[in-house]
Amino acid sequence: MTSSAGVAQRRGWYYGWNIVGACILAEIAASALPANAFSLFLHDWSTQLNCSISTLQLGIGAFAFIVPLLSPFSGVLADKYPARLLFGIGLVVIALFCVAMSYITAAWQMVALFALLLPIGTSFSTLIPANAVVSRWFVKRLGLALGLTAFGLAIGGVVLPPIVAMIMPTLGWRMIWRIGGLGIGAFVVPTVVYVLRDRPTEREGFHYLTGEGAAVPHHGQQGEKGAGLNWRDILKRRNFWLLLAIYLPMLFVYGGSLQNLAPIAISHGLNQQEAGALVSVFNAAHIVATLVMGMLSDRFGNRLPLLGLALVCA
């Protein structure tokens, strides 16, 4: 009787996948308009706010600089406070940011919102708190779960840019941001807060947490070797600086390409709709790579997938 019940419990739907889904929804809300569709607004902003595109890029640059500074704090908070609270605060801030963006009348206001509000909302509602809560729900298939979680940062960039490019001539950029903010506040916030739970129950999803099929600890969650590390220990490690030296240049190229893709496309004779399609394809490639890396990490650990990725980039 007990054995049969255990098998049935293992084969049933695991609530951890609902957690992954909620994190994906939150990341779409936090990144779709501000980051993935950013370049599509540059032309209209430059014209209507009477400023250069390079001035407008100061906003996304400030955002990219401040988010890493907030990351250690959001990591500490993710360990101490319920995921519902952090995601709720972050998404409410994102909703307010989007509504405020629809009322800007000068470039400095746009830069201020990207530098002040957006980093707070993003830090509380995307990868760091999402990875923390997902890691509590999975041992088996952790790499796939984390890969799917990161999927949210790009899926909005596949779906939304063509829609934005199509409706902007009709609705205008102000109404698009207003609708985005109201939609996040009315739908995304209550949905994510309702679904999220910090941990599984004692017997819930036993098959994903331990026992048969449990993952070999490639990811550093198990064992004592990495326990008790502090910032000083991390900064002393050569591998930390090596990964940083490899990762940051690729990140700069990726971010610079994404945030300037629409103006570059338009300067080469493409229209706004074609630029939206290019942004969508760009983000689709990101999704495929994320999922593949997650599955390879589950199967081979981190070293070989990272080596392969380095060779592909080279």
Side-chain angles (χ1 to χ4, degrees), residues 23-84:
C23 293
I24 291 174
L25 179 61
E27 289 171 351
I28 291 173
S31 64
L33 274 178
N36 293 323
F38 175 82
S39 68
L40 296 174
F41 297 103
L42 289 174
H43 179 268
D44 286 356
W45 284 343
S46 177
T47 301
Q48 296 181 28
L49 302 180
N50 193 28
C51 63
S52 65
I53 289 178
S54 59
T55 300
L56 295 170
Q57 291 286 2
L58 293 175
I60 201 72
F63 164 72
F65 177 76
I66 294 172
V67 165
L69 299 181
L70 294 179
S71 295
F73 300 101
S74 62
V76 171
L77 294 175
D79 287 333
K80 290 186 176 181
Y81 294 99
R84 284 175 174 173

Side-chain angles (χ1 to χ4, degrees), residues 6-15 17 205 208:
V7 172
Q9 187 177 29
R10 290 184 186 129
R11 292 180 180 176
W13 175 258
Y14 181 44
Y15 194 83
W17 297 116
Y208 284 89

Side-chain angles (χ1 to χ4, degrees), residues 67-149:
V67 165
L69 299 181
L70 294 179
S71 295
F73 300 101
S74 62
V76 171
L77 294 175
D79 287 333
K80 290 186 176 181
Y81 294 99
R84 284 175 174 173
L85 176 63
L86 294 181
F87 275 87
I89 292 172
L91 290 171
V92 167
V93 172
I94 294 293
L96 293 174
F97 164 81
C98 290
V99 173
M101 281 295 299
S102 70
Y103 289 101
I104 62 172
T105 57
W108 71 265
Q109 297 168 355
M110 174 265 184
V111 173
L113 288 173
F114 268 82
L116 300 177
L117 275 188
L118 186 58
I120 296 173
T122 301
S123 296
F124 282 10
S125 60
T126 55
L127 277 182
I128 291 179
N131 286 347
V133 70
V134 168
S135 295
R136 299 182 196 121
W137 280 85
F138 288 87
V139 171
K140 180 188 177 185
R141 298 183 182 174
L142 177 60
L144 177 60
L146 293 175
L148 286 171
T149 302

Side-chain angles (χ1 to χ4, degrees), residues 9 14-15 137 197 199-206 209:
Q9 187 177 29
Y14 181 44
Y15 194 83
W137 280 85
R197 284 165 37 197
R199 289 176 176 83
T201 58
E202 184 178 352
R203 296 292 298 171
E204 187 174 34
F206 181 80
L209 296 169

Side-chain angles (χ1 to χ4, degrees), residues 289-304:
T290 300
L291 294 177
V292 169
M293 287 295 291
M295 290 185 288
L296 290 176
S297 180
D298 276 337
R299 185 171 180 83
F300 301 109
N302 292 324
R303 187 184 297 270
L304 287 177

